[in-house]
Amino acid sequence: MVKKETVLSAYELAKERYAAVGVNTDEVLEKLQDISLSLHCWQADDVTGFESPDATLSGGIQATGNYPGKARNIEELRADIVKAASLIPGSHRVNLHAIYGDFGGQFVDRDQLEPKHFESWMKWAKENGFKLDFNSTSFSHPKSGERTLSNPDPEIRKFWIEHTKRCRAIAEEMGKYQGSPCVMNLWIHDGSKDQTVNRLEYRRLLKESLDEIFATKYDNMKDCIEAKLFGIGAESYTVGSYDFYLGYGAKNNMIVTLDTGHFHLTESVADKISSLLLFTPEIMLHVSRPIRWDSDHVTIMNDDTLDLAKEIVRCDALDRVNIGLDYFDASINRIGAYVVGSRATQKCFLQALLEPLTILRKYEAEGKYFERLALLEESKVLPWNAVWDMFCLKNEVPVGEDFIANIQQYEQEVTSKR
Ligand code: RNT
Ligand code: ZN
């Protein structure tokens, strides 16, 4: 166990060291406290949901691995999220998908969803100090096929328009109930495995569907639209590409979701932040870790995530960026996956907040580029970890690697018995 005194004295030294470059660590701790992550409910059960016991995941996404102990029902899923949150410093949100409704053993089709199917979630969230976010679900359904909202068949399109409209109404109720806007994400897998000669037509249909879906204005929810590069089985064409949603978002003043796994692997998602901030109202993030493709590995503290956090802080945009996580790894302990990914994301934001920006900007303004580069390099090795440990201590969650034993115990007592 990391000793409390060790954390406290290391923090005092770090505080002094950061003060030398003009950074107040006490203020940084307060700012980090205000950063909420939206924990994606679907890591707990490999994106299965509660619609039917034999649901299979479709829509070009995949959770690989068969680590034992996944959540099998609403109680287990909630317990796992509460457990994970108890090991993550700060207060956070929970991001639900439409297939996670409390259906009470009945089959409720997607075009029949109502706020009542999410009432118990709202109560649970309130009792446990979470706010809820929401997602429509277009995948894992007999009517999903290659296309949903862009389907040339008016019946299928109507079905998905109805589903998405209902999801917005549910998000509105969630927002009202919790006194904090519910962020509702719209992602559809629509695309084509092989070459298509109808690129424009499907995009036109999607635009038409979106116009109809978003015609109703709400006050307690925020819409966001998520683009993607390709999906498994839809490698040749994605209707909702980044160009498509960036255009739609900029034109209609809507939030665009940046999933860090939805771009070419050498493309910088961090560099998109400042442009989006100029043309769209807010940003929604799906922080993930793509390995070779949009593989949805557990987020770690790597350059991509650090760059993203730094850009947001450098743009002074923490109040305009909603930070959601989106990965699903079925090959390791799933609660561990939540905790590692969330803490890694927070560590990135902490380092971003600890950047000696005032001095760096002064150097830049004076054209002192060697000095800027030197300080950027040196700031990477300033004792940020002492500030991180202090953050965990203050929030009464395990410091450092101490949470490993905690998760092992939960595995022994709970998840291994499933
Ligand atoms: C898929 C998108 C989408 C999903 C979730 C489950 O590639 O990233 O956000 O991961 O909606
Ligand atoms: Zn995503």
Side-chain angles (χ1 to χ4, degrees), residues 226 259 262 286 326:
E226 180 181 9
D259 184 309
H262 290 192
H286 275 188
D326 183 12

Side-chain angles (χ1 to χ4, degrees), residues 282-295:
E282 291 181 27
I283 295 170
M284 175 74 200
L285 294 179
H286 275 188
V287 186
S288 176
R289 176 169 50 114
I291 308 268
R292 312 216 179 268
W293 64 286
D294 173 27
S295 53

